[in-house]
Amino acid sequence: MLDVYYVLKLAVPKEKELIMSEIVCEPDPTLMESMRSVGYDLNTAVADIIDNSIAADARNIDIYYHDYGEEPFIAIIDDGNGMDRNTAIRAMQLAGNNTSAERGAQDLGRFGLGLKTASLSQGRSLTLASLQQGAMVAFQWDLDRLAQSKTWALEELSTSEVVSSTPQKVRDALPTRHGTCVLWRNLDRLNSIFGKTVADLDKAMSDLADYLALVFHRYLHPYHDDPVTQIRIRINDAEVPRRDPFLVDNPAVQKAPPQLIEGTDAVLYGYTLPYQNRLTDEDRSLLGLAEERGKTLFDTQGFYIYRAYRLITWGGWYRMMARSEINKLCRVRIDIPNTLDAQWALDIKKSTATPPKLVRDSMRRFAKSLAKPSRRVQQFRGRKTNKDPHAQMWALIQDRNNEFRYEVNQDNPYIEAFAETLTGKQRLSFLRMLESLASTLPYDDMQTRFAMDERVSMADALDERLRNNAKEFWGMNKILTHLTPDEFVQRYKDSEPFSLSRNAARILEEVTHG
């Protein structure tokens, strides 16, 4: 039985003898019902259980859920160290941990509430079965039974009771030597939010896989300097996808030097992603971009705060600067140890953290300095060009009142050479056509598509198109400008449209020397 004591102090006048009375105020077991509303959702609840698995040195974590015709359940099973009887009882107590006690660097727990509050936030029944050296202990909280008995009676289950009452899928996956199984049943909250059908739960579990892939990505695929042991997480035997919000292995990512926040053990790391048209399908998969799930480059910009290498909160700038299109390539990673929990006001769910003022000041300065590379990438978008403005196909015209527009650059060598082949009347018509083309650029549509991280598809067929352009250009050169092959390549390889391709020099050389 779990006893909680509150001390009631009765004040008396100073001239009289001080008398103190103590009244034992044991809370009603319905407290468990109230604690269901701490604020967990399915994703944060499962993540909290996985925190315990990692703290127990688990290497493999499997999540199972029911199929058609089965009683609804969710089970999280690991191959960690497991627990003996006394440890398991403490784990099932409310606030079984001292928040001020010293913990290991990879201990992801804090309040001693996660197992109970996270589990019972999703279902009315929690069963804990744990093994050490092949010996099993098992305990169960059932909210309906607590309400009926009105006592803090923790049920202890025998091995045979666990085996006989456990779903077959879970029974087959139970550890045999060491590890822990957390089983949720009577999933009333889950059913009310996602629906009662298995298809509804499949969708919820797909979102869960995406969430866990991001939150634990540095445990699933550690960075080269992360002092963590790699783990695996599977849902119904399927691996969660790989995620990396910074694309650390992509050479096109701009990285800022790490910065230690003075007076703390927190470290800042800055990343500027490549422009969206330079992102490969693999890059987009690693970033987890999905506009229908609210995961665009715009939505995911900002600070990524890690506690002991576990992602706590991400996206947004803590009101330090605006979330905007021009900053959407910026990502700031902040690594904090679990010794700074109190200063960061970490909540029970470990899903929000508020930085102290000393840290906020450093975060603000670092983020604003990082925004400059993002703006440069957004403005120039990785275009290869020489310093000659005549090389560009489009000219930017900056008007008054912070307005701008684009015009076709008539001094571009490609345009200029073509215009020289025209008669005076044809040239006038050609220039009018260019003006009409510039005035009808679909700015609004382009802005909308870029905001949704859509990519320009012209790059796929660009090289073949440029090869045809180069042949036409080389033919005109023989008649008009008489450049040598080497002079021709040097003049046009850095000029649009050829500069838009990384293979420009090779294409021009093949055409002129072929």
Side-chain angles (χ1 to χ4, degrees):
M1 180 178 296
L2 178 63
D3 291 331
V4 180
Y5 297 92
Y6 293 89
V7 177
L8 190 64
K9 296 183 178 180
L10 304 177
V12 298
K14 291 183 178 180
E15 62 271 13
K16 295 184 180 181
E17 182 180 357
L18 182 63
I19 300 175
M20 179 180 292
S21 297
E22 293 185 356
I23 301 174
V24 177
C25 293
E26 181 179 296
D28 190 281
T30 54
L31 172 65
M32 283 286 204
E33 291 280 359
S34 301
M35 294 190 66
R36 304 188 74 196
S37 301
V38 168
Y40 282 98
D41 58 21
L42 174 64
N43 294 342
T44 55
V46 173
D48 215 331
I49 305 303
I50 291 177
D51 287 341
N52 296 337
S53 297
I54 293 174
D57 296 325
R59 300 293 177 266
N60 297 281
I61 302 166
D62 282 285
I63 301 166
Y64 293 100
Y65 63 97
H66 62 280
D67 206 337
Y68 291 97
E70 292 183 296
E71 176 192 359
F73 74 87
I74 294 176
I76 302 100
I77 303 172
D78 68 49
D79 62 353
N81 298 327
M83 291 176 273
D84 59 23
R85 185 174 183 276
N86 290 334
T87 304
I89 292 174
R90 287 198 302 272
M92 293 293 270
Q93 289 180 331
L94 293 181
N97 293 335
N98 182 353
T99 59
S100 61
E102 186 174 346
R103 303 190 302 280
Q106 292 187 40
D107 186 348
L108 299 179
R110 172 160 168 74
F111 295 97
L113 293 170
L115 172 62
K116 288 74 64 178
T117 53
S119 299
L120 295 174
S121 72
Q122 304 303 303
R124 299 187 64 80
S125 174
L126 160 63
T127 302
L128 173 71
S130 194
L131 285 89
Q132 273 192 352
Q133 299 179 345
M136 177 182 288
V137 295
F139 299 92
Q140 181 172 282
W141 282 121
D142 187 283
L143 295 183
D144 293 332
R145 186 175 184 276
L146 286 177
Q148 187 177 36
S149 67
K150 298 188 182 302
T151 63
W152 288 94
L154 178 65
E155 298 178 71
E156 184 167 9
L157 307 177
S158 66
T159 300
S160 60
E161 287 175 317
V162 173
V163 172
S164 63
S165 64
T166 300
Q168 184 66 47
K169 191 185 300 182
V170 178
R171 189 158 60 243
D172 293 342
L174 285 174
T176 57
R177 294 291 301 168
H178 53 83
T180 298
C181 171
V182 175
L183 176 62
W184 304 342
R185 284 182 282 202
N186 198 353
L187 308 176
D188 60 332
R189 291 284 178 89
L190 197 63
N191 291 340
S192 66
I193 294 173
F194 294 105
K196 295 183 179 181
T197 70
V198 175
D200 293 330
L201 191 56
D202 284 341
K203 173 62 170 61
M205 288 297 179
S206 175
D207 292 341
L208 172 65
D210 194 61
Y211 179 87
L212 298 179
L214 179 60
V215 167
F216 295 102
H217 76 92
R218 291 173 68 183
Y219 282 89
L220 293 162
H221 302 279
Y223 295 155
H224 74 278
D225 55 349
D226 286 346
V228 300
T229 302
Q230 189 171 20
I231 67 171
R232 295 176 65 190
I233 300 176
R234 295 178 295 187
I235 300 180
N236 274 4
D237 298 322
E239 302 276 353
V240 299
R242 184 173 183 176
R243 294 286 181 261
D244 181 6
F246 313 115
L247 302 180
V248 295
D249 294 328
N250 187 325
V253 173
Q254 299 180 40
K255 302 179 179 69
Q259 176 182 312
L260 177 67
I261 300 179
E262 187 178 356
T264 76
D265 292 325
V267 183
L268 297 167
Y269 301 81
Y271 304 87
T272 302
L273 302 184
Y275 179 63
Q276 60 205 45
N277 222 43
R278 296 289 179 119
L279 295 174
T280 65
D281 290 338
E282 181 182 1
D283 292 334
R284 296 172 69 84
S285 176
L286 287 172
L287 292 170
L289 298 181
E291 195 272 335
E292 69 277 7
R293 293 183 179 179
K295 293 182 180 178
T296 64
L297 290 172
F298 181 91
D299 299 309
T300 54
Q301 65 184 284
F303 293 108
Y304 286 66
I305 298 176
Y306 294 80
R307 171 184 177 266
Y309 311 100
R310 189 262 211 208
L311 186 57
I312 298 296
T313 182
W314 61 94
W317 296 106
Y318 282 96
R319 299 183 181 180
M320 296 176 189
M321 65 182 192
R323 182 185 290 186
S324 64
E325 280 291 320
I326 205 68
N327 296 329
K328 73 178 184 178
L329 302 181
C330 291
R331 307 287 184 275
V332 178
R333 167 184 139 205
I334 307 178
D335 284 356
I336 62 174
N338 56 20
T339 54
L340 297 181
D341 286 352
Q343 294 94 313
W344 279 79
L346 185 71
D347 72 341
I348 291 176
K349 305 184 303 296
K350 288 170 285 187
S351 61
T352 61
T354 303
K357 184 180 185 306
L358 175 65
V359 175
R360 285 201 308 272
D361 292 342
S362 296
M363 290 169 62
R364 182 181 293 105
R365 290 191 297 269
F366 192 84
K368 289 185 176 180
S369 67
L370 190 68
K372 296 177 182 178
S374 176
R375 291 175 181 134
R376 286 196 296 269
V377 172
Q378 288 280 76
Q379 290 166 350
F380 296 103
R381 298 183 178 149
R383 171 185 291 159
K384 295 190 301 179
T385 183
N386 59 22
K387 295 180 180 179
D388 182 5
H390 294 170
Q392 298 179 11
M393 184 69 76
W394 291 91
L396 172 64
I397 309 300
Q398 197 75 48
D399 292 329
R400 295 180 180 178
N401 301 322
N402 201 30
E403 296 179 348
F404 74 94
R405 56 190 168 86
Y406 286 98
E407 291 183 353
V408 178
N409 181 14
Q410 298 178 25
D411 293 325
N412 173 272
Y414 184 84
I415 301 295
E416 190 177 37
F418 177 76
E420 288 179 359
T421 66
L422 304 177
T423 64
K425 187 175 181 179
Q426 289 173 330
R427 185 184 182 96
L428 181 61
S429 297
F430 176 62
L431 296 180
R432 287 176 178 172
M433 184 192 70
L434 294 184
E435 291 175 359
S436 177
L437 178 67
S439 66
T440 57
L441 274 177
Y443 293 104
D444 291 341
D445 184 66
M446 287 191 292
Q447 180 180 6
T448 300
R449 293 181 182 278
F450 288 141
M452 295 171 61
D453 299 336
E454 292 188 25
R455 292 179 292 180
V456 180
S457 62
M458 63 171 287
D460 297 337
L462 182 61
D463 284 0
E464 189 59 33
R465 194 178 310 167
L466 292 181
R467 189 181 303 277
N468 293 332
N469 289 342
K471 290 178 181 178
E472 295 175 3
F473 234 34
W474 179 239
M476 288 189 292
N477 170 74
K478 292 179 179 179
I479 299 173
L480 298 172
T481 53
H482 307 291
L483 298 174
T484 68
D486 289 340
E487 290 172 339
F488 184 87
V489 171
Q490 290 302 313
R491 179 173 181 181
Y492 290 108
K493 70 181 179 66
D494 292 321
S495 300
E496 292 183 352
F498 301 104
S499 63
L500 299 177
S501 170
R502 68 184 66 184
N503 302 315
R506 178 176 59 80
I507 292 172
L508 292 168
E509 287 174 357
E510 290 175 357
V511 168
T512 56
H513 293 82

